[in-house]
């Protein structure tokens, strides 16, 4: 019997009008989703845009910290409390919103979260400089509104796609949340220097309001317990104002039975008891934390070692990492889909989703470790700045390759709880990122950049056995869990 991550594997979907595909017995098989491939890409593009605003408020804020400290008559360390509290709520809030969206729908939670982000950003733009406590308070809500868009987007992708196509969609989706840390610092520095620190928050308001309008107008409800494969009419409050997608499906593609049985909101912390999920979370969290630490310290590392650079040029130094992330997302997404189809076609009944997703992981991980170590020694040696910039491209590429693979597999094995699964991922990686950011300066001061990043590169190298453990034991753990869940229903 084949071991896969999906209960149902529909045939490929026509690019034009979606039509049911006949099975070998001549029966008509209803598609997993009524949306055509182009419509799915449009949906993924919308949720990727929303995902861009998850890390944006954190990273666009960094260049303005000294200016805000002077405005509020506080030290930089005091203003850094707003960064810490943001990371805390960034990790916690998806644990609330993710399960709610798995129960009550994606669209409504999107609208609520983005509205909170807009309102809190307006408050921060208008915050009096003698009310530092209010800045901290609003920062909590800003984080709570923005952080959950990643978990929601993962839920949408799990709703509309099967394992054979999910890698490409997840690759595109990850571009949003991964590009923001590279683009936002340059934006924040330019806005703060040219228009003042309040302009940063007004910029967030304008950008998020445009995204909120796009979601309200065009995003359909995709939760399968409500909309099924997209064919089931949903309550008016959950409908897109302008039904841009789903209009080309034929009547035969509609299937009320595709609606899954609604479940009570599952406590996402239960996922931490699943050994295969713990392995994936460890992998994702450590790689993300190391990569995020390098990204967050690019400007300070370059300013220290290349003091002739202006603030504008320092902001531009983030772009090579962003370019690498674009390459990584595009290549890895297509490669994951290609590997899935190839391995499944050749494996017969021995196919496992874990092997299909993680087979190319050793290449990415080894190259990532080499780049991390090389980054540290390059910075310490004050090599020509072209060298760390080139390394930044490879760091962005390999980190996205690793994260796309592990997060796609996480959705594969927990498809019915995709938002909760991504919320757990977010909690782990934000927590590890916050810890690493808090200690990296002390490590660099004590050990130097070279040995510091050699240490973290070695930690990442130790993840390789975990990957082989997941490939070998993951299917057994998953089948045992699914059998236990089936007995309970």
């Amino acid at each position: 019997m084949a071991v896969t991550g999906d209960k149902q594997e529909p045939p490929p979907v026509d690019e034009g009008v979606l039509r049911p595909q006949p099975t070998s017995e001549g029966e008509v098989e209803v598609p997993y989703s009524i949306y055509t491939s182009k419509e799915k890409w449009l949906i993924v593009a919308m949720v990727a845009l929303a995902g861009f605003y998850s890390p944006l408020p954190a990273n666009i804020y960094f260049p303005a910290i000294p200016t805000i400290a002077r405005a509020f008559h506080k030290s930089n360390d005091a203003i850094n409390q707003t960064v810490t509290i943001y990371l805390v709520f960034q990790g916690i809030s998806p644990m609330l919103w993710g399960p709610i969206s798995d129960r009550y729908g994606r669209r409504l939670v999107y609208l609520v979260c983005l509205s909170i982000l807009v309102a809190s950003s307006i408050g921060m733009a208008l915050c009096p400089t003698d009310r530092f406590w209010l800045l901290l308070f609003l920062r909590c809500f800003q984080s709570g509104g923005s952080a959950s868009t990643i978990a929601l987007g993962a839920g949408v992708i799990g709703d509309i796609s099967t394992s054979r196509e999910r890698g490409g969609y997840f690759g595109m989706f990850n571009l949003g949340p991964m590009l923001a840390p590279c683009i936002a610092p340059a934006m924040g520095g330019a806005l703060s220097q040219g228009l003042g620190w309040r302009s940063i928050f007004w910029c967030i308001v304008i950008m998020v309001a445009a995204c909120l309008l796009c979601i309200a107008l065009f995003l359909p409800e995709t939760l399968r317990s409500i909309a099924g494969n997209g064919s089931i009419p949903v309550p008016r409050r959950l409908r897109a104002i302008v039904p841009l997608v789903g209009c080309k499906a034929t009547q035969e593609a509609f299937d009320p039975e595709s609606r899954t049985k609604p479940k009570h909101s599952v406590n996402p912390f239960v996922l931490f008891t699943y050994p295969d999920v713990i392995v994936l979370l460890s992998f994702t969290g450590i790689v993300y934390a190391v990569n995020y630490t390098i990204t967050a310290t690019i400007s300070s590392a370059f300013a220290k070692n290349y003091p002739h650079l202006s603030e504008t040029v320092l902001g531009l130094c983030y772009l090579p990492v962003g370019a690498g992330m674009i390459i990584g997302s595009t290549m890895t997404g297509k490669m994951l889909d290609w590997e899935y189809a190839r391995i499944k076609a050749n494996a017969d009944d021995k196919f496992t989703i874990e092997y299909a997703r993680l087979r190319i992981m050793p290449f990415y991980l080894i190259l990532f470790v080499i780049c991390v170590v090389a980054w540290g020694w390059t910075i310490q040696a004050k090599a020509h700045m072209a060298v760390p910039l080139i390394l930044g491209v490879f760091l962005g590429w390999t980190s996205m390759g690793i994260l796309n693979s592990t997060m796609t597999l996480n959705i594969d094995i927990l498809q019915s709880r995709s938002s909760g699964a991504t919320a757990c991922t977010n909690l782990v990686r934000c927590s590890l990122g916050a810890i690493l950011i808090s200690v990296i300066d002390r490590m660099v001061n004590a050990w130097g950049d070279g040995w510091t990043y050699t240490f973290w590169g070695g930690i990442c190298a130790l993840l390789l056995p975990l990957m082989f453990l997941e490939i070998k034991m993951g299917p057994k753990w998953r089948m045992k869990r699914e059998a236990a869940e089936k007995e309970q229903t």
Side-chain angles (χ1 to χ4, degrees), residues 61 65 69 72-84 132 135-136:
Y61 182 82
I65 286 178
F72 281 83
H73 307 291
K74 298 289 183 179
S75 66
N76 284 350
D77 287 341
I79 296 297
N80 280 338
Q81 294 176 22
T82 63
V83 177
T84 302
F132 180 63
L135 188 71
L136 287 171

Side-chain angles (χ1 to χ4, degrees), residues 420-443:
T422 308
C424 291
T425 302
N426 198 65
L427 175 63
V428 171
R429 67 182 190 176
C430 286
S431 300
L432 292 178
I435 293 172
L436 203 51
I437 286 290
S438 66
V439 302
I440 194 67
D441 284 340
R442 298 176 186 177
M443 293 183 68

